[in-house]
Amino acid sequence: MKKLKFIGNPLLQSREKINMSSDKKWLTLKTTEDNEEFVVEESVAIMSNVIKNMVEDGCASSVIPVPRVKGNAMGKIIEFCKKHTEESDEKVLKEFDAEFLNLGPDALYDLMVSANFLEIKVLLDSVTTKVADMIKGKSSEEIRNILKIENDLSAEEIEESRRENCWTRQE
Amino acid sequence: MLNVTPYLTDDLLSQILDRLPVKTLLQCRCVCKPWCSLIDSPRFVKLHLKRSAECNKNRSVVIRGFYAYLADFDSLEDNSTAVIIDEPLRSVLRGTGLVGSCNGLLCLYQQKMDIFIWNPAMRKCKQLPTAPADFVCPFSVDPFFLRGFGYDAVNDDYKVLRILHPDGREAGSKVIVYSLKSDSWKRLPDISYPYQIVRDLGMFLGGALHWIAVTTLGVEICLIILAFDLGVENYKEIPLPNLRFKKSNKLNLCTFADSLCVLLLEADIRIDVWLMNNYGDGNSWCKLFSLEHTQLVSPSLSVRPLAFSKSRRDVLVEVSDKKVIWYNLDRKNLRTVKIANMPAVFHDMEVYTESLVPPDYFLSCNGKQPEEEKKQKRQQKRNER
């Protein structure tokens, strides 16, 4: 069964009403991996450079297929883009981003890969900054734990690097 | 433990890592093999350097006196502490002189080590091979020791230049250049008469080394800036500011805020600091500020502007071998920079951008240490036990 998600005015019930009523243009994005559909304002959707190019080239009349991005990631991305198109106060946006990016490494990676694929610079910058801040000033073991990275170095390599870089852990 | 890094392409991982300071990146090298090879790659090293320069981040200060000390640049605006550099580099850095500084590398000279290249952020050093026998002049004997160090963007190489003052009036100056990529010295054509360089340290800016020089064409004696392009290895004249007094002993040259900067000692009571806003354009010289006799104990050409503050309203200035100040451009006043643990007297201070550029510039394969160094380390470990 198709699920229609409306991001926008909760009072509107059908797609036809949306197309007729406002001067705002609406687009439907469909994640091809799990067939979820999202109806978004064009001004929000074009924060993605990829979608912007499709709209400008005139191939965005019906449903825009979005490969490689899963439904839940798409929902989050739209939430981010909507907030960033509506709000202009830097301070409010900063607080929103901090709360929004309060996620585990798996979710952050998903967001990063999707933002990169869809070419949403603002989101990609925010996520990469967040991940960088998570590991700044930490030791290699701490970084592995925070980002859930498998250690593929041999015991000898670990010992040698620990000896070489012991001064970097002094504060 | 699930390994999520396969999701991250090198491009995405670079975008995270190039925001980090060198210290953290050296820890990141030990996280896993893919991270290590990315951080060691020449491409990433350049990316990281570019980002640091663009965002004015990762700046640090090295203070060289009898010993060498490091301090964080951003902390100079409030409270900062100089940290002495311990062994094994402490004895190497004792009593050094400067050849040049560029992209996080400092080129120094010292009695025992002769000329060497040092990356303070990575705590790594590389000694240069001795110059060929026919270029006879150890710096300890050479009274002028004309020298310079910089990055050649054309050939992606770091170069050290040495120039021997001419023997007689008609003779030219001998020039020898070291290329880090080829790890060797080579002789270049002499700087022919009528140019004569009058200051010892070459200033690196935008791919060229600069000195104040005298040119005596015909009857007139003229002061100019002589620029040596490290890429194409040729010379160019750049005009000095159009000033009334142009005696060579009243002028000094340095680089500041990515521009050529001339210091003019006016009537022994004031130092004027001039900045060339458009490189090469003689009409773009502009006076940035002046330091009066009353503000300094005694104005001398050792006054040197080092860097702008974050707000660009203050200039960090080295005023003597004992003092460094912040000069405020709006209020035209100065305040002493307080650095705890500073040596009482120092040679000079350099502001540099921390980088991952290795002193041997990727000569050894895969960024691993060359065999002789590995053997030395094993021997050291055995001796320690």
Side-chain angles (χ1 to χ4, degrees):
Chain A
M1 196 181 93
K2 263 198 222 169
K3 264 199 292 184
L4 277 174
K5 282 214 175 101
F6 294 91
I7 318 283
N9 193 329
L11 293 175
L12 295 171
Q13 292 300 306
S14 76
R15 204 185 299 174
E16 276 156 288
K17 273 200 181 155
I18 292 168
N19 283 340
M20 280 185 339
S21 58
S22 53
D23 357 283
K24 293 184 195 162
K25 282 187 75 184
W26 297 82
L27 299 172
T28 305
L29 305 173
K30 177 170 166 176
T31 55
T32 55
E33 281 212 5
D34 46 14
N35 285 324
E36 279 196 42
E37 287 193 5
F38 300 85
V39 182
V40 255
E41 281 181 42
E42 186 183 285
S43 55
V44 171
I46 59 170
M47 270 190 81
S48 152
N49 225 17
V50 168
I51 296 178
K52 181 164 183 268
N53 288 336
M54 288 177 83
V55 169
E56 283 174 357
D57 289 344
C59 24
S61 47
S62 51
V63 177
I64 299 178
V66 181
R68 290 165 64 171
V69 181
K70 292 219 181 75
N72 47 6
M74 194 71 222
K76 280 226 88 153
I77 289 170
I78 292 172
E79 190 193 326
F80 179 91
C81 293
K82 190 165 189 292
K83 187 73 183 183
H84 276 252
T85 22
E86 286 172 351
E87 189 65 63
S88 52
D89 188 332
E90 289 268 344
K91 202 165 163 245
V92 175
L93 280 177
K94 228 177 170 181
E95 279 175 24
F96 169 80
D97 286 358
E99 184 63 45
F100 180 82
L101 293 172
N102 200 4
L103 303 164
D106 297 349
L108 283 174
Y109 286 144
D110 262 345
L111 218 53
M112 202 173 1
V113 172
S114 306
N116 187 43
F117 173 71
L118 289 169
E119 293 178 35
I120 307 172
K121 190 173 188 303
V122 178
L123 178 57
L124 186 59
D125 279 348
S126 297
V127 183
T128 47
T129 306
K130 164 84 186 183
V131 179
D133 286 343
M134 280 163 73
I135 62 179
K136 191 169 176 179
K138 301 279 194 296
S139 73
S140 51
E141 297 106 270
E142 287 168 323
I143 296 171
R144 262 184 246 120
N145 287 329
I146 294 167
L147 298 184
K148 296 206 263 179
I149 294 172
E150 210 175 280
N151 187 356
D152 61 355
L153 299 167
S154 70
E156 197 190 77
E157 285 171 322
I158 295 174
E159 193 46 46
E160 191 181 326
S161 64
R162 190 172 291 161
R163 217 193 316 257
E164 259 185 30
N165 296 321
C166 64
W167 58 270
T168 62
R169 300 169 71 172
Q170 291 162 4
E171 274 318 295
Chain B
M1 225 186 243
L2 170 75
N3 191 359
V4 289
T5 50
Y7 296 142
L8 290 181
T9 55
D10 269 2
D11 179 53
L12 276 176
L13 188 55
S14 291
Q15 290 188 56
I16 299 169
L17 296 180
D18 78 1
R19 292 165 194 273
L20 294 169
V22 173
K23 222 176 187 181
T24 304
L25 288 172
L26 292 175
Q27 280 293 314
C28 287
R29 279 185 81 250
C30 311
V31 164
C32 63
K33 284 190 179 139
W35 280 38
C36 184
S37 50
L38 176 68
I39 293 167
D40 286 350
S41 69
R43 188 176 167 269
F44 178 76
V45 169
K46 285 185 185 144
L47 256 170
H48 181 259
L49 184 63
K50 187 162 175 269
R51 182 176 257 279
S52 299
E54 282 169 2
C55 311
N56 254 340
K57 282 187 345 176
N58 298 331
R59 287 193 289 181
S60 193
V61 176
V62 62
I63 303 149
R64 287 170 315 99
F66 186 65
Y67 292 118
Y69 302 73
L70 291 179
D72 173 57
F73 178 79
D74 291 333
S75 70
L76 290 179
E77 301 202 45
D78 303 294
N79 289 312
S80 83
T81 309
V83 175
I84 192 171
I85 294 172
D86 269 321
E87 297 296 1
L89 288 174
R90 184 159 76 170
S91 35
V92 167
L93 296 168
R94 195 151 62 189
T96 54
L98 186 69
V99 176
S101 147
C102 164
N103 290 352
L105 292 175
L106 267 88
C107 185
L108 303 171
Y109 67 93
Q110 192 233 40
Q111 203 64 35
K112 215 163 72 172
M113 288 271 282
D114 202 47
I115 301 178
F116 64 99
I117 294 175
W118 174 46
N119 183 320
M122 295 174 79
R123 307 222 173 165
K124 286 204 173 132
C125 243
K126 178 196 159 60
Q127 192 172 354
L128 263 56
T130 44
D134 60 345
F135 192 84
V136 172
C137 204
F139 67 80
S140 47
V141 166
D142 181 355
F144 300 101
F145 191 33
L146 304 177
R147 62 202 189 268
F149 169 71
Y151 176 64
D152 166 9
V154 170
N155 299 302
D156 188 26
D157 196 2
Y158 287 89
K159 290 187 171 159
V160 178
L161 204 73
R162 273 202 67 185
I163 301 171
L164 268 194
H165 226 67
D167 295 325
R169 221 186 110 84
E170 297 292 322
S173 306
K174 292 197 208 134
V175 184
I176 186 171
V177 70
Y178 168 81
S179 139
L180 190 47
K181 228 171 173 176
S182 66
D183 194 23
S184 63
W185 291 91
K186 85 168 186 231
R187 181 88 184 262
L188 289 180
D190 295 354
I191 303 177
S192 57
Y193 178 82
Y195 293 124
Q196 211 182 88
I197 293 176
V198 295
R199 285 276 178 269
D200 54 358
L201 194 56
M203 294 296 150
F204 175 71
L205 181 72
L209 287 171
H210 303 79
W211 287 268
I212 292 188
V214 168
T215 159
T216 49
L217 270 172
V219 190
E220 267 192 45
I221 291 179
C222 198
L223 280 173
I224 46 117
I225 295 173
L226 190 64
F228 175 76
D229 186 307
L230 289 172
V232 293
E233 292 177 348
N234 65 12
Y235 300 89
K236 193 171 84 167
E237 281 185 35
I238 293 178
L240 283 164
N242 206 357
L243 306 164
R244 284 176 298 138
F245 307 107
K246 262 187 162 188
K247 283 194 188 157
S248 68
N249 62 349
K250 304 288 184 189
L251 274 182
N252 206 356
L253 181 70
C254 69
T255 54
F256 172 70
D258 291 324
S259 309
L260 286 175
C261 177
V262 159
L263 304 158
L264 173 66
L265 188 60
E266 268 278 20
D268 292 330
I269 59 164
R270 193 173 72 234
I271 290 256
D272 289 341
V273 180
W274 290 77
L275 214 60
M276 186 178 233
N277 290 314
N278 295 322
Y279 181 76
D281 177 5
N283 295 320
S284 72
W285 283 106
C286 179
K287 187 154 70 163
L288 186 64
F289 65 94
S290 296
L291 282 173
E292 300 286 334
H293 171 67
T294 46
Q295 292 173 306
L296 305 165
V297 171
S298 63
S300 75
L301 288 180
S302 63
V303 167
R304 227 174 24 118
L306 296 174
F308 272 121
S309 64
K310 271 202 176 124
S311 64
R312 289 181 78 91
R313 297 324 304 157
D314 297 89
V315 180
L316 187 69
V317 185
E318 184 191 289
V319 298
S320 68
D321 58 359
K322 298 178 186 60
K323 208 158 87 154
V324 178
I325 58 146
W326 280 112
Y327 180 83
N328 185 280
L329 295 168
D330 303 319
R331 294 189 294 269
K332 299 195 187 344
N333 61 8
L334 52 91
R335 60 185 167 101
T336 310
V337 178
K338 293 202 169 57
I339 307 177
N341 204 29
M342 264 282 264
V345 167
F346 57 91
H347 295 321
D348 61 47
M349 230 186 192
E350 281 296 312
V351 177
Y352 68 97
T353 301
E354 294 190 336
S355 80
L356 289 162
V357 181
D360 63 2
Y361 205 43
F362 309 113
L363 268 182
S364 38
C365 35
N366 302 327
K368 293 203 186 98
Q369 292 168 315
E371 277 312 301
E372 325 88 75
E373 275 174 71
K374 267 191 174 151
K375 274 191 198 145
Q376 271 182 12
K377 284 217 155 177
R378 276 185 230 128
Q379 189 61 46
Q380 255 182 349
K381 284 180 210 166
R382 271 182 234 129
N383 294 340
E384 279 165 25
R385 282 193 208 128

